[in-house]
Amino acid sequence: MSTSTPGTRADFEYLDQRDELRSSRERFDLPEGEIYLDGNSLGAMPAHIPARIEKVIKQEWAHGLIRSWNDADWYPAPQRTGAKIAGLIGAQGHEVIVADSTSINLFKVLVAATRLRPGRRVILAERGNFPTDVYIADGVAELTGNQLRCVEPDDILDALDEEVAIVSLTHVNFKSGKRYDMARITERAHAVGALVVWDLCHSAGAMPIALNEVNADFAVGCGYKYLNGGPGAPAFVFVAERHIPHMRQPITGWHGHAKPFDFDHHFRPHPSIGRMLAGTAPQLGVLALEAALEVFDDVDLNALRQKSVALGDLFISLCDQQLAGLGVELRSPRDGEQRGSQVSLAHEQAYAVMQALIARGIVGDFRAPDILRFGFAPLYIRYVDIWDSVVALREILEQKEWDRPEFLARKSVT
Amino acid sequence: MSTSTPGTRADFEYLDQRDELRSSRERFDLPEGEIYLDGNSLGAMPAHIPARIEKVIKQEWAHGLIRSWNDADWYPAPQRTGAKIAGLIGAQGHEVIVADSTSINLFKVLVAATRLRPGRRVILAERGNFPTDVYIADGVAELTGNQLRCVEPDDILDALDEEVAIVSLTHVNFKSGKRYDMARITERAHAVGALVVWDLCHSAGAMPIALNEVNADFAVGCGYKYLNGGPGAPAFVFVAERHIPHMRQPITGWHGHAKPFDFDHHFRPHPSIGRMLAGTAPQLGVLALEAALEVFDDVDLNALRQKSVALGDLFISLCDQQLAGLGVELRSPRDGEQRGSQVSLAHEQAYAVMQALIARGIVGDFRAPDILRFGFAPLYIRYVDIWDSVVALREILEQKEWDRPEFLARKSVT
């Protein structure tokens, strides 16, 4: 690719002019003069969110009060929002629901899945997965008398055997941006009788996902990254139709009951995906997420993916060209097909380098110990942002601009 | 009390004039011309919420973006908000944190508590507790190999024996409004070596609670009832200081880790109450709840409780006077000391009667099969609201105003 890399800022401006997703950027309220490459950590704000939330608060809450659970359709919002997400991940509307956090949904799904494979004892996971996934799996293993087996990404298929009850993986790795072949792993796991849980935190909203096409069992994912639902937005959970009637998740709260407002003494799970709910849904968050999903209306997910890969490919090519000899190493797959929507670079002073970039209005993030992470949310990142970011990075590295006390001093980072 | 019940609307207006909490009503945005007696289901909106949330959305999210986790102090919001709630429930600031929903927090606490009493096998609960409490306890019992023992409220003390690991009770019953003697039950449970979990959903924010004075172990509670945090506001959890280092809750998500952003491979619980967190906090909800708690600034909780009891006593006295022979039966304790901040009446057409009241702008709620529930949130309910509600109820019952198709037809209720 590097032979054909555009060589001037004007070339990147031209790519933006030809970008069929160009107008989707206008659906967001972005800070002026900044380049935001951290939509894989907290998505940007869709511009219509303030008006929607103002209505939720000033009318539906303040004046509708308790009636709004029915009259403003709050009650079915988790199902309705789940159905919208289903369209982005290749699921049927009734297979997805919005609830709680990714960690909690993963906990529910893992416990329920172990109950579907009572004769087996192993949860298979990737050692370098996002920590919460490993922590939760470890906690579930302890609680349910199972065993967590962690291996390297390339060893997943070899580690599959008939002891494995569940494979729990993140589709796109949070650090490297490397993407698993979902179809292949799901097929091979099924071949040994295991079930698969996919964490879609770093892929939902950034590319088309074909859960039903690959015969997926379960998935969870985040509402606040590429889905732009706002800070701590509720998460989602997918259960394939064939598993729903058998899913017995352990947090048996009233909103997962067949008839929550009958106030029965005994728990009977809802016949639908509703059984994955526990307590009352965090409505402000659910309604913000529901509204946020409108930015995907009429978006061609294949075009979205194409742009995402192009942004990453161009970023890598420019880095090759401009950062040679400056101590930077690529930590993401060079092949766009194997990547999610982010590119990670390693630098021994990654923390300070990122602080220097942020000081210039280019916001990516740092992941310990040495990773500079750049997320390209294709709905609002421009081609010219790629050019400007790499040029800024070159200047910072060439001039050792990162070597200042205010950049070197660590504060807590998220 | 009934001998001294004020007999005219003017008498109730006079009580409002003398009410030292009168001005706190102005801190809320309430629907004009309505009487809202359902603050025990969804609290009214504090008037300053829209401005706070607008700032969170338009500035902190849209323009601060990921930096707001540090720069806008989002990250410590669950601890900060928990510390504010601690002041309302007799706890130390570092013993309370805001997280998830009541159901999920109860699940975490119950599992952690069973781990503190490994030799015992019984979770003792009240049969008529709010369903989610019983469902969750049942789910935990199944998951952890324990047994759920449900008894009537008056039989709790007799059911305490050395098999009991945990007593799980709601301080104020959601249906009857009956309040347990927290000090006595906690003491007797400790005497047999059991731990106690108190659900404060129907008491936090409606009366002073003295968790540490009664030597309480654990508590959970709701953010959206008397704490006015908004629909589906996050819940809180209290762990007594002496138990925190030993609490091993099962949903081991990254936000409960000692160093979440070190991305360690192994889970080590945070040394503080922070270990009760799992995933990313639902920030819109947490920040709304934090702001909502300002309505309690400078409020004397003893005066709050006095007013709450007075409102309930007057409601009952007026019902005695005005509803005799109209098919209504009191289902709450007559003694204010034994009540929370609600009064429940039974009527065989309770559903339709409540619909008729709501049509007149008097909003309480219905609980199956036959309960009319009236909550008196003392910060915004006036004495004159009591008079007007009972007069309206009398007219509805005398004229059988409830006997209309639109009131009799059930829709889903929350």
Side-chain angles (χ1 to χ4, degrees), chain B residues 84-294:
Chain B
K84 272 186 111 160
I85 293 170
L88 300 176
I89 58 177
Q92 302 179 81
H94 61 275
E95 294 174 315
V96 182
I97 197 161
V98 162
D100 305 316
S101 65
T102 305
S103 296
I104 289 171
N105 289 333
L106 187 59
F107 178 87
K108 294 182 221 166
V109 165
L110 285 176
V111 174
T114 62
R115 289 170 165 176
L116 294 173
R117 288 292 178 271
R120 296 174 175 228
R121 282 284 159 263
V122 172
I123 300 174
L124 178 63
E126 176 193 333
R127 186 166 291 125
N129 199 350
F130 187 73
T132 214
D133 294 73
V134 179
Y135 302 158
I136 291 285
D138 206 12
V140 167
E142 184 188 352
L143 193 66
T144 57
N146 286 285
Q147 176 202 336
L148 178 62
R149 185 188 292 171
C150 282
V151 302
E152 297 301 322
D154 291 340
D155 299 332
I156 292 288
L157 292 179
D158 287 343
L160 279 171
D161 59 34
E162 300 199 345
E163 288 188 314
V164 176
I166 307 157
V167 184
S168 180
L169 295 172
T170 297
H171 187 202
V172 171
N173 185 280
F174 80 109
K175 215 181 234 183
S176 68
K178 187 168 174 180
R179 184 170 78 140
Y180 277 107
D181 183 336
M182 187 182 271
R184 185 153 171 249
I185 288 178
T186 304
E187 194 191 346
R188 294 281 298 272
H190 287 175
V192 298
L195 298 165
V196 188
V197 181
W198 287 106
D199 177 340
L200 306 177
C201 279
H202 287 271
S203 47
M207 65 189 69
I209 298 169
L211 288 176
N212 281 331
E213 204 180 300
V214 307
N215 203 22
D217 301 297
F218 316 107
V220 296
C222 170
Y224 56 76
K225 297 179 189 288
Y226 295 106
L227 300 185
N228 311 302
F236 64 87
V237 52
F238 157 86
V239 178
E241 190 179 63
R242 66 185 178 281
H243 293 308
I244 291 175
H246 316 292
M247 279 303 267
R248 292 201 311 114
Q249 64 100 344
I251 313 179
T252 46
W254 66 312
H255 278 272
H257 192 279
K259 298 260 182 195
F261 294 99
D262 280 6
F263 297 101
D264 277 356
H265 291 315
H266 294 287
F267 186 78
R268 284 178 297 130
H270 200 279
S272 78
I273 186 76
R275 63 177 55 196
M276 299 307 289
L277 297 177
T280 305
Q283 280 295 322
L284 291 188
V286 175
L287 297 170
L289 174 58
E290 180 185 26
L293 292 167
E294 288 173 25

Side-chain angles (χ1 to χ4, degrees), chain A residues 39-112:
Chain A
N40 50 332
S41 195
L42 173 63
M45 188 188 75
H48 63 290
I49 291 287
R52 173 68 186 117
I53 294 302
E54 190 180 349
K55 186 174 173 233
V56 169
I57 291 177
K58 287 192 180 174
Q59 291 178 35
E60 296 174 13
W61 175 12
H63 296 158
L65 284 160
I66 192 67
R67 290 163 291 204
S68 289
W69 282 102
N70 294 309
D71 300 348
D73 283 326
W74 285 353
Y75 192 52
Q79 282 83 353
R80 204 167 60 225
T81 309
K84 272 186 111 160
I85 293 170
L88 300 176
I89 59 177
Q92 301 179 82
H94 61 274
E95 294 174 314
V96 182
I97 197 162
V98 162
D100 305 316
S101 65
T102 305
S103 296
I104 290 171
N105 289 334
L106 187 60
F107 178 87
K108 293 183 224 168
V109 165
L110 286 176
V111 174

Side-chain angles (χ1 to χ4, degrees), chain A residues 328-368:
Chain A
V328 159
E329 196 183 309
L330 180 66
R331 286 289 173 85
S332 295
R334 197 167 278 277
D335 174 7
E337 275 311 297
Q338 288 190 42
R339 273 199 321 268
S341 202
Q342 73 178 68
V343 172
S344 298
L345 305 176
H347 185 276
E348 66 174 6
Q349 289 293 342
Y351 180 83
V353 171
M354 184 51 74
Q355 296 309 305
L357 271 169
I358 292 171
R360 283 173 171 247
I362 296 167
V363 181
D365 65 20
F366 162 75
R367 283 294 175 258

